[in-house]
Amino acid sequence: MRTWLIATALTLCLNSATLAQPPTAEEQTRKADATAQASGFKIRPVDDAWRAALPRNAQAATQAYLDRLPAEVQARSDAYYTGGYWLILWELLFGLAVTAILMSGRRAARLRDWAQRVGRGPVRRDMLFGGAYVLASAVLTLPLAIYSGWWREQAYGMSTQTFLAWLGETALSQAVDMLMMGIVVAGLYAVIRRAGERWWIWGTGGSIAALVVLVAISPVLIQPLFNTYQPVEDGTVKTAVLQMAHANGVPVDNVYTFDASRQTTRISANVSGLLGTAAVRLNDNLLRRTSEAEIRAVMSHELGHYVMNHMAKNIALLTPLIFVGFAVVAWAMKRLLARLAGATGVSRIDDVAGLPMLVAVLSVFFTLATPINHSITRLQEIEADRFGLNLSREPHGFAEAQLRLVEYRKADPGALEEFIFFHHPSTRHRIHDAMRWREAMGTP
Ligand SMILES: [Zn+2]
């Protein structure tokens, strides 16, 4: 189940519209600019002469780029990013606490009885239970969500939202989660009832199918709930991106941007969707605050994800992980149900009231599998970086963009730290790749 939650978080992480009167695009950008400046995130500025005078040696040139980050900026970035490591632990512990609260005193069993009375039929009962479970978890973990989603982002000067606007968006995304979880839970327990002992094999297949559907509908149905997507105005940026897309057979006739500045100062772009809905889009912070060389470098990286079919490959690579995850759940649930039946009032795997326990086991598994998950995405990011350098031929634009990302990503971690906690390669790694390209190709 956590897989769906992860996928939802992935698609929703950039998101979200204020529910109140939306500010104009100009107001938003001005506010985001002001927030970015006030945050104290600074990179020592340079000119083309500085870049041309960089040593040819990739390692030395990489160091020169990293030296442009003031010590206090790096310290702040390190603190922000490593704080995220603790959040992984806290999120797991909060999740386990929620499970303990719901399972003890037969609360989940009573919730199932309520769903049975209202739903009248197994499918509607399980849907209701799934939705109610998401709601209960959201309410119980709200303090942590406020801390990580709003307070911490404010403290580090990256959020451009008022608390109420953030809360409105969080409520909306929880409503989306409730709906999706309802459908997924009804499907999963229908499979458990039919397949018996072997439910986890069919469950793996079902969850992959659900993941495909979720990724495919996300850019069309979910992301537009939170942000406005608009074509980039005609000009050199649009022409350059379309040129690179067409050169690689990407069938697009427009470039889209979205108003991320209403939520954050972060610069980013993404490729989302699957099958017919796949799209490459850049956020307005990237569009308005960076040079054209940087935009070309970033967008060629995103096109790399698209051309190399990373979305589909990612799901394929996750399949064995989900398979093992479900096997572990089947094994652990048998023992947990036998041991705790008296206290929880739940004794059978096909009883939806056991859902919080099932999710807890899956969460522990996926938290322990974090390095595997991260390594899958990190390897794809390295591929896309190299594709992007070959396409845009902008090693400096790429390096400059990477320096900006230090606002929210630790620049220079240790090797083990990068392996465990980094879903993208570190700044040092990525700039080094660009400088190695420059050294080998002999460009300025
Ligand atoms: Zn990427």
Side-chain angles (χ1 to χ4, degrees):
M1 216 68 48
R2 177 77 191 279
T3 325
W4 289 294
L5 298 181
I6 291 168
T8 317
L10 278 179
T11 48
L12 297 183
C13 70
L14 292 164
N15 70 40
S16 305
T18 44
L19 297 176
Q21 191 70 13
T24 67
E26 260 166 64
E27 277 168 7
Q28 272 167 35
T29 328
R30 225 178 303 132
K31 200 173 153 202
D33 279 346
T35 311
Q37 266 157 30
S39 78
F41 179 73
K42 282 180 194 70
I43 303 162
R44 205 151 41 73
V46 293
D47 53 15
D48 285 341
W50 180 87
R51 291 181 200 103
L54 276 173
R56 293 241 61 89
N57 175 274
Q59 208 142 359
T62 304
Q63 193 55 50
Y65 262 107
L66 288 174
D67 287 344
R68 284 170 51 202
L69 294 164
E72 70 273 13
V73 164
Q74 273 210 52
R76 200 179 156 85
S77 158
D78 288 1
Y80 175 76
Y81 199 79
T82 53
Y85 306 165
W86 289 102
L87 280 179
I88 297 175
L89 180 66
W90 283 117
E91 268 159 25
L92 178 67
L93 293 179
F94 264 68
L96 294 180
V98 167
T99 305
I101 291 170
L102 291 179
M103 296 308 299
S104 63
R106 302 189 171 215
R107 287 190 188 89
R110 275 184 278 146
L111 188 62
R112 172 248 291 139
D113 292 342
W114 165 82
Q116 174 75 39
R117 272 197 309 279
V118 178
R120 295 184 192 163
V123 174
R124 270 170 302 180
R125 174 196 63 208
D126 296 351
M127 273 189 94
L128 275 174
F129 187 92
Y133 167 65
V134 170
L135 182 63
S137 300
V139 170
L140 290 169
T141 59
L142 189 62
L144 182 63
I146 292 173
Y147 168 73
S148 69
W150 187 77
W151 189 87
R152 206 169 93 96
E153 295 298 305
Q154 285 280 334
Y156 282 93
M158 281 187 279
S159 165
T160 55
Q161 284 185 304
T162 62
F163 177 67
L164 277 181
W166 175 85
L167 199 63
E169 282 186 358
T170 302
L172 180 58
S173 86
Q174 289 299 336
V176 173
D177 276 1
M178 279 172 73
L179 180 67
M180 289 193 299
M181 189 71 154
I183 296 169
V184 162
V185 168
L188 178 67
Y189 279 84
V191 167
I192 294 178
R193 279 193 296 275
R194 293 244 164 99
E197 282 283 296
R198 298 236 172 118
W199 69 269
W200 57 278
I201 299 174
W202 295 97
T204 303
S207 52
I208 301 299
L211 203 55
V212 168
V213 171
L214 180 63
V215 173
I217 63 168
S218 163
V220 189
L221 295 180
I222 300 173
Q223 289 167 6
L225 292 175
F226 299 97
N227 282 97
T228 308
Y229 291 80
Q230 279 176 321
V232 173
E233 284 167 24
D234 287 340
T236 47
V237 166
K238 182 177 162 180
T239 309
V241 174
L242 283 181
Q243 239 173 21
M244 294 191 300
H246 293 159
N248 286 279
V250 180
V252 287
D253 45 22
N254 233 328
V255 181
Y256 286 88
T257 178
F258 59 98
D259 54 352
S261 62
R262 65 169 37 173
Q263 289 108 10
T264 179
T265 63
R266 294 175 184 220
I267 282 165
S268 75
N270 66 55
V271 54
S272 59
L274 199 66
L275 312 168
T277 66
V280 175
R281 302 180 291 199
L282 68 160
N283 83 8
D284 57 348
N285 294 322
L286 175 68
L287 186 63
R288 298 211 174 91
R289 295 221 309 266
T290 63
S291 71
E292 228 175 281
E294 289 170 70
I295 296 178
R296 276 166 47 81
V298 172
M299 294 310 280
S300 59
H301 164 103
E302 301 301 338
L303 285 169
H305 283 310
Y306 183 99
V307 171
M308 292 184 284
N309 257 317
H310 277 170
M311 239 1 155
K313 286 178 190 164
N314 202 324
I315 294 175
L317 288 168
L318 277 176
T319 303
L321 195 64
I322 295 175
F323 186 77
V324 176
F326 270 72
V328 169
V329 168
W331 173 84
M333 283 298 280
K334 222 179 231 172
R335 278 146 192 85
L336 286 169
L337 288 169
R339 259 194 131 169
L340 301 171
T344 60
V346 182
S347 58
R348 295 167 55 99
I349 185 71
D350 62 2
D351 183 349
V352 74
L355 176 71
M357 218 145 77
L358 192 150
V359 173
V361 177
L362 215 44
S363 308
V364 172
F365 175 81
F366 274 105
T367 302
L368 293 175
T370 301
I372 299 174
N373 233 330
H374 280 171
S375 294
I376 291 173
T377 53
R378 208 171 51 245
L379 291 173
Q380 292 189 330
E381 294 300 331
I382 293 171
E383 274 181 8
D385 281 354
R386 291 176 186 166
F387 180 99
L389 285 166
N390 288 329
L391 177 58
S392 69
R393 308 176 72 82
E394 293 281 9
H396 293 299
F398 184 80
E400 292 291 342
Q402 291 310 318
L403 279 188
R404 291 185 197 268
L405 302 192
V406 174
E407 186 176 10
Y408 58 85
R409 192 175 297 141
K410 187 173 182 176
D412 199 6
L416 183 65
E417 186 181 9
E418 189 169 344
F419 172 72
I420 297 174
F421 293 111
F422 277 61
H423 40 73
H424 283 65
S426 68
T427 314
R428 178 183 286 282
H429 257 138
R430 301 182 88 176
I431 295 182
H432 184 266
D433 265 15
M435 292 302 108
R436 187 178 59 193
W437 190 95
R438 168 180 176 265
E439 182 183 356
M441 299 297 281
T443 57

